[in-house]
Amino acid sequence: MTMTPISPREAKRLIESGAALVDIRGPDEFARESIPGARNVPVTDIDRMEKTGAPVVFNCRSGARTQANAASLSAAAGADCYMIEGGLDAWRQAGFEVAKDTGQPLELMRQVQIAAGSLALLGVVLGFLVGPGFFGLSAFVGAGLMVAGITGWCGMATMLRHMPWNRRMAG
């Protein structure tokens, strides 16, 4: 089966006609903002998605993740499947309702970006103001990001996931 890209308006019509809406983002992203009525099945767990025979509309934040995983999503759907062009961002821009819970923590990847950027900047500032040994902090953070990119494992994300503010996360 192939996945058909559709506009948010077409997606809304299909959903109102009984199509299932499946959000493939991670639980942390879904808990913070989603389309009402969407079911969260992260792309990493898509092989466990229940097949109902009904058409399936997939979405992510921008549509890129859905498009990149179209083949596996189509296989998991077991029915006609569609993707919202532009994802949740386009849905919101079309003026459709979005459920937001700003009490949920920021998405884990954004937390990693903020922490890594802050540590790298701190290392550079301290390296110039205090002593060149502090440049090592920036190098350490850069090496950690390279390891994360090469292996898919991020030590900082693992650490942040266990922080008290992330324990409230839904999912």
Side-chain angles (χ1 to χ4, degrees):
M1 294 194 166
T2 60
M3 186 172 304
T4 306
I6 57 174
S7 71
R9 190 163 309 288
E10 292 171 290
K12 186 169 178 40
R13 184 185 53 73
L14 273 172
I15 294 162
E16 289 171 347
S17 303
L21 176 60
V22 176
D23 189 318
I24 65 164
R25 298 173 302 145
D28 57 335
E29 295 173 273
F30 183 80
R32 192 159 171 88
E33 183 178 32
S34 63
I35 298 172
R39 190 176 55 182
N40 184 222
V41 182
V43 71
T44 55
D45 298 333
I46 204 66
D47 56 332
R48 297 186 200 127
M49 187 175 88
E50 181 183 333
K51 294 180 183 177
T52 63
V56 180
V57 176
F58 289 102
N59 82 283
C60 61
R61 185 185 57 77
S62 68
R65 207 173 328 181
T66 305
Q67 190 169 19
N69 293 283
S72 58
L73 297 174
S74 297
D80 292 336
C81 59
Y82 306 87
M83 67 171 277
I84 300 175
E85 287 181 303
L88 179 64
D89 293 343
W91 181 272
R92 187 183 323 96
Q93 288 172 356
F96 298 136
E97 182 183 1
V98 174
K100 278 187 153 192
D101 183 354
T102 55
Q104 291 292 328
L106 288 175
E107 295 85 7
L108 194 56
M109 197 46 54
R110 286 184 60 194
Q111 292 180 44
V112 168
Q113 292 166 338
I114 291 167
S118 298
L119 289 171
L121 180 60
L122 180 64
V124 169
V125 169
L126 291 175
F128 282 118
L129 297 178
V130 178
F134 283 102
F135 288 123
L137 176 59
S138 299
F140 178 74
V141 171
L145 291 172
M146 283 179 45
V147 167
I150 293 167
T151 67
W153 179 83
C154 180
M156 189 177 292
T158 302
M159 180 191 72
L160 287 169
R161 186 177 291 116
H162 297 303
M163 291 290 121
W165 59 84
N166 285 327
R167 292 189 188 135
R168 302 178 317 152
M169 209 175 336

